[in-house]
Amino acid sequence: MIEAVGLTKRYGDKTAVYNLSFQVRPGAVTGFLGPNGSGKSTTMRMILGLDNPTSGHVTIGGYPYRRLPNAPRQVGALLDAKAVHGGRAARNHLLSLAQLSGIPARRVDEVLGVVGLQDVARRRSKGFSLGMGQRLGIAAALLGDPQVLLFDEPVNGLDPEGILWVRNLMKSLAAEGRTVFVSSHLMSEMALTADHLIVIGRGQLLSDMSVKDFIAANSAGFARVRTPDTEPQLREKLAGALTEAGGHVLPEQDGGLRVTGLALPRISDIAHDTDVRLWELSPHQASLEEAYMRMTQGAVDYRSTVDQKEGLQQPLPPGAQPPMPVPGQGQPGWYAPPPPPQGGQPYAAQPGQPGPYGAPGAPGAGTPNPYAQAAPQAPQTAPGQAPAAPPAQPAPPAAQNPAQAPASAPAATPAAPTQPEDAR
């Protein structure tokens, strides 16, 4: 069991933890929750003897961590998965920890199999992904088969299969009678994993109770009611009857009603008496996330503000539109066609002449070829305006690598190719 009594830690004029007292009992997964900067990591470091408390004390099994005989075989911890020598293979990293604690080498291969890293055991850890590093850190925590385990964000970087595996692992460890203490910001995962919660804010204890009691104490349940969408008058009729019966009714955006102060059977009876058909009548229980946000809303130190873009860019004049991006602009081989001369459409193919993509009369005739340097894209012909005749000068070859295109347009306006490659 982990027990903290009056735990306080100050760094100069900054108080990270103040008068914190709690117990983490064996046989259950205890979640350790709190906003960023609330003192969770500092508390876990003091439990493991990495930081000395300014006042108060914390013990594991009745002893401070530093006085535990062969502490790595009694306490396993994952605080920072990156705290591994990058040039050392995964197996060698665990083997060095085992040798320091008198743990047999066969245990290294066992825990590598437990965390699923047996196939990459001889790879250097600097090439590991974030999830693989988390698995290696969990393997190090399990190495001594300890009775007390501390995990700080154990599912960080894991895929869904890995998250499920960690969840089942912690539950199985607690079912064996071990003490499991888990810090996490994933409320949905804590709701599925933890049995008990310890919540702190700004270094002080906010809550110490079971998950079920925590949700009940920090949220209000309500009934969700929906009537036929095609008959809004029934919704108004039911809302009035529920209000007269002592209920509190709030409309929801999708047309439903949120009712508090009345039990579901009473709501059903009122709807029956007022001859209102119900499409939905369901109880709503707040989630752990909703209860947590309600509990810690006054203890959050880092809040986001609205992005004020007025100071980052000049406002556009009335009626102006931002310039449209040009695909490929600025990349090697990008070609900017010259502006067309005034009047007419000089790049449009005439009837009886081959188009850029095929022989005369082929579908798509008159459509510019994006791969032809000498045939820039033609502007759209205005309604009722006949296309102009093509210039008489010969055109350069149509099939040319865009990467070899000149950086600037030719001086003379090119004509449509007389014999494109696709028509040969």
Side-chain angles (χ1 to χ4, degrees), residues 80-90 93 125-126 133 136-137:
D80 185 4
K82 298 180 181 178
V84 180
H85 193 292
R88 184 175 293 170
H93 168 68
S125 60
K126 65 180 180 181
L136 183 58

Side-chain angles (χ1 to χ4, degrees), residues 28-399:
V29 177
T30 301
F32 194 31
L33 309 181
N36 288 333
S38 60
K40 299 189 305 298
S41 296
T42 301
T43 301
M44 300 186 90
R45 289 179 59 84
M46 287 190 289
I47 293 174
L48 297 172
L50 300 174
D51 280 343
N52 293 321
T54 305
S55 62
H57 65 275
V58 56
T59 58
I60 301 175
Y63 296 92
Y65 181 86
R66 294 179 180 178
R67 291 178 53 191
L68 288 173
N70 201 348
R73 302 197 68 167
Q74 299 190 45
V75 181
L78 168 64
L79 296 188
D80 185 4
K82 298 180 181 178
V84 180
H85 193 292
R88 184 175 293 170
R91 188 179 186 279
N92 291 340
H93 168 68
L94 296 177
L95 187 60
S96 63
L97 297 179
Q99 291 173 344
L100 289 172
S101 304
I103 300 172
R106 66 176 181 273
R107 178 62 179 167
V108 173
D109 297 318
E110 291 176 2
V111 295
L112 283 171
V114 169
V115 301
L117 295 180
Q118 63 272 21
D119 294 336
V120 294
R122 303 194 180 278
R123 282 180 51 184
R124 294 184 178 182
S125 60
K126 65 180 180 181
F128 281 9
S129 65
L130 180 58
M132 294 168 66
Q134 288 291 111
R135 289 176 180 267
L136 183 58
I138 293 174
L142 300 176
L143 192 59
D145 195 23
Q147 290 297 312
V148 177
L149 293 125
L150 291 84
F151 298 106
D152 190 2
E153 300 289 350
V155 299
N156 186 25
L158 292 178
D159 56 14
E161 188 276 335
I163 293 175
L164 177 61
W165 166 72
V166 170
R167 183 194 311 158
N168 293 334
L169 173 67
M170 290 189 292
K171 287 184 175 181
S172 64
L173 292 171
E176 295 172 359
R178 305 175 196 255
T179 302
V180 182
F181 195 38
V182 185
S183 171
S184 179
H185 288 296
L186 298 180
M187 296 297 108
S188 59
E189 192 57 33
M190 282 290 94
L192 296 172
T193 306
D195 306 299
H196 196 88
L197 292 178
I198 295 174
V199 184
I200 66 174
R202 293 177 178 168
Q204 302 182 54
L205 183 67
L206 299 181
S207 179
D208 184 353
M209 61 183 67
S210 68
V211 175
K212 182 178 180 180
D213 293 341
F214 178 82
I215 294 176
N218 295 282
S219 62
F222 62 89
R224 177 175 166 78
V225 181
R226 284 190 64 214
T227 59
D229 296 337
T230 56
E231 302 175 83
Q233 69 278 5
L234 295 182
R235 180 172 64 251
E236 302 300 328
K237 181 180 179 181
L238 178 61
L242 293 174
T243 302
E244 291 179 2
H248 184 63
V249 182
L250 291 175
E252 295 191 329
Q253 293 183 353
D254 62 351
L257 298 175
R258 177 180 295 199
V259 183
T260 56
L262 294 174
L264 263 66
R266 179 63 176 149
I267 296 175
S268 177
D269 292 340
I270 294 174
H272 181 269
D273 295 340
T274 55
D275 197 24
V276 175
R277 291 183 299 122
L278 296 181
W279 277 8
E280 179 182 352
L281 177 58
S282 60
H284 177 83
Q285 180 71 35
S287 65
L288 175 59
E289 181 179 42
E290 293 171 329
Y292 169 81
M293 296 299 291
R294 181 187 294 268
M295 162 67 74
T296 61
Q297 60 183 347
V300 177
D301 292 328
Y302 308 101
R303 296 183 185 273
S304 175
T305 59
V306 178
D307 185 10
Q308 302 294 339
K309 297 182 179 180
E310 289 78 8
L312 302 178
Q313 60 184 13
Q314 295 296 327
L316 294 174
Q321 297 293 331
M324 296 297 294
V326 180
Q329 184 173 2
Q331 299 181 3
W334 183 75
Y335 171 68
Q342 296 295 328
Q345 188 176 1
Y347 309 126
Q350 297 298 312
Q353 292 184 351
Y357 288 127
T367 307
N369 185 352
Y371 301 103
Q373 170 193 346
Q377 184 176 358
Q380 298 293 331
T381 304
Q385 181 181 6
Q393 58 266 28

